[in-house]
Amino acid sequence: MKFILLSLLLGAAVSGQAQTVSADTFATQLKQSAQAQLIDVRTPAEFADGHLPNAVNINSQRPDFSQALGQLDKSKPVFVYCMSGGRSKGAVETLRELGYTDVHELRGGYLKWASKMMPVAGVTHSTAKPEWPVARFDSLRQKQSLLMVDVYAPWCGPCKKMAPAIVKLQKEFTGSATILKVNADTEKPFLAAYQVDELPTILVFRNGKLVDRQIGYRDEAAMRALLK
C-alpha cells in the first residue's frame, strides 16, 4: 500500500513539472522565472507576424528540431507555445524524451495569448485617435433597433479571419441592421465600459440593450444567426 501511494505521489510530482496552463498562469510563471527559456515552435513566417516578447523561434518543421531543442539548458525552465496548441504538445513530448523536467506549455497557444490582449512583439498597433468614445457609441446604440459590434484588432489572427464575413454581412443587412467594427487598439474606454477583455468579441444590441456577447472566432453562419 505504501509503495502504491509513493508511486502516485512521484507520478504527480513528475507530471506537475510538465504543465499545460492558461495564458494568465503562463504569464505569471514566465514573469516569476528569471532564467526562463521561452520557445516559439511555429514557422519563421508565423513568428514574424507576431510573437511573445523575448521568445526564441525554433521551427518544429525543421529536420533537426529535436537536436535544436537539445541545445537548451536542462537546468532552466522551458516555456513553449505554438499557434493553437498542436505543435507545442509534440514539442513538450520531445522535451520530456530529451530529459527536460521543468516544462510549461501555453494552452491555446499564441492565438489565446493574443486574444486576451496580452503583450506581443513584432506587431504594429494602431495609434489613430478613438472613433467611438463611449458617449458617441451610446448615442448610436440608443438609435438602432439592431446593432452588432465586432471588437477586433488588426494583428488578431481570428479577427482577420472573420473580416471578410463581417464585410459581407454589412452589405447584406444594410437597412435592417447596423454592423460596426471597433478597433481594440484605439478604443480603450469602450473596452472598459463594455468589459471586453478578449478578441474577437461580438456584441449584439437590440433597441439599445445588450442582448448577446460572443467571444472568439465565429463563422459567417454563426454571425448571421445573431442578426436574425
Side-chain angles (χ1 to χ4, degrees), residues 77-200:
V78 179
F79 291 77
V80 61
Y81 71 93
C82 62
M83 184 62 82
S84 60
R87 286 170 284 180
S88 61
K89 181 179 180 181
V92 167
E93 292 175 355
T94 300
L95 286 164
R96 286 174 172 174
E97 292 170 359
L98 291 170
Y100 293 87
T101 57
D102 193 359
V103 180
H104 308 257
E105 180 188 9
L106 173 58
R107 182 183 300 123
Y110 179 77
L111 288 180
K112 189 62 178 179
W113 179 276
S115 76
K116 291 179 71 64
M117 293 181 279
M118 303 181 85
V120 293
V123 302
T124 301
H125 290 277
S126 301
T127 57
K129 293 182 179 180
E131 292 185 63
W132 292 103
V134 175
R136 183 189 178 201
F137 174 79
D138 285 345
S139 177
L140 172 71
R141 88 176 151 75
Q142 290 166 6
K143 298 174 183 177
Q144 304 298 315
S145 58
L146 179 55
L147 171 64
M148 186 171 83
V149 181
D150 169 33
V151 187
Y152 78 103
W155 42 264
C156 165
C159 301
K160 290 189 283 187
K161 188 176 180 180
M162 286 170 55
I166 292 289
V167 172
K168 182 177 179 180
L169 292 172
Q170 284 175 323
K171 296 177 181 178
E172 181 179 331
F173 284 87
T174 298
S176 60
T178 298
I179 300 177
L180 182 70
K181 292 177 68 67
V182 171
N183 188 339
D185 278 352
T186 60
E187 311 293 341
K188 302 304 183 186
F190 178 94
L191 303 188
Y194 288 95
Q195 300 178 347
V196 175
D197 58 8
E198 291 193 41
L199 298 177

Side-chain angles (χ1 to χ4, degrees), residues 41-56:
V41 299
R42 299 175 300 158
T43 66
E46 290 173 311
F47 184 82
D49 201 34
H51 54 269
L52 273 64
N54 303 314
V56 174

